[in-house]
Amino acid sequence: MTNDNEDLVDREKQIDRKMKVERKDGEPTSVFKGASWAALLIGVSAYLLGLYNAAMELNEQGYYFAILMFGLYSSVSLQKAVRDKEEGIPVTNIYYGISWLALIIAIVLMAVGLYNAESIVLSEKGFYGMAFVLSLFAAITVQKNVRDTQKAREID
């Protein structure tokens, strides 16, 4: 009887191994990819929902929306430039420098905008700042995951 149970357990383990999709060497786990996408969606959604519900003029909302989009683009661009350099793909110094400058400008514009916003209470300023930083970090992580996954699959 014990042998029958052991055989059954062994067969189930073999079936489980066959059903699992093998992750390529260097490819991020699906959990990490999902967490990165979730962080990006949560950060951007929270930021945009906060803007939608904010008691500020449309031009102020446009300013904060443009800064978010500029920050997301510049962070992904910088991540790509850094990664290209690391992998030996030619990146001009001007593009690399502009990518850094664009990200710094986006962060400074956000900080200056929040500092000078008299119509926004301090807790809302913190909310926008944190949602902005979460979105930038998540965009970098998603870009990294996409690139790592693509590279891992090209090796095979």
Side-chain angles (χ1 to χ4, degrees):
M1 187 75 168
T2 328
N3 287 339
D4 290 340
N5 287 339
E6 289 175 4
D7 289 340
L8 182 62
V9 169
D10 286 341
R11 277 189 238 135
E12 286 177 3
K13 285 181 183 178
Q14 289 174 353
I15 291 171
D16 283 346
R17 283 188 208 127
K18 289 178 185 177
M19 291 177 62
K20 288 183 183 177
V21 175
E22 292 291 323
R23 191 169 51 92
K24 309 286 189 241
D25 214 19
E27 181 181 8
T29 63
S30 58
V31 173
F32 185 66
K33 289 185 221 177
S36 301
W37 275 105
L40 179 61
L41 292 174
I42 289 168
V44 170
S45 298
Y47 187 94
L48 293 177
L49 187 62
L51 272 184
Y52 178 77
N53 290 322
M56 61 176 78
E57 293 190 27
L58 193 56
N59 62 338
E60 286 179 278
Q61 289 177 335
Y63 173 81
Y64 289 112
F65 177 75
I67 296 236
L68 176 65
M69 293 300 113
F70 181 47
L72 290 173
Y73 179 79
S74 63
S75 64
V76 169
S77 182
L78 177 61
Q79 194 280 339
K80 182 182 179 341
V82 167
R83 187 69 177 266
D84 283 351
K85 276 187 129 182
E86 181 183 301
E87 292 177 358
I89 299 170
V91 176
T92 62
N93 286 334
I94 190 79
Y95 183 80
Y96 186 71
I98 287 172
S99 296
W100 268 112
L101 183 64
L103 182 60
I104 291 167
I105 288 172
I107 292 169
V108 167
L109 285 172
M110 179 59 131
V112 168
L114 290 176
Y115 180 79
N116 291 318
E118 295 175 4
S119 64
I120 303 176
V121 295
L122 191 57
S123 60
E124 284 183 73
K125 289 179 182 184
F127 166 79
Y128 286 117
M130 291 307 294
F132 181 72
V133 170
L134 174 63
S135 298
L136 294 185
F137 178 76
I140 291 169
T141 307
V142 166
Q143 164 63 17
K144 178 195 175 304
N145 288 343
V146 167
R147 183 118 176 211
D148 287 347
T149 300
Q150 180 183 359
K151 186 175 181 181
R153 292 191 178 168
E154 285 176 356
I155 291 173
D156 279 344

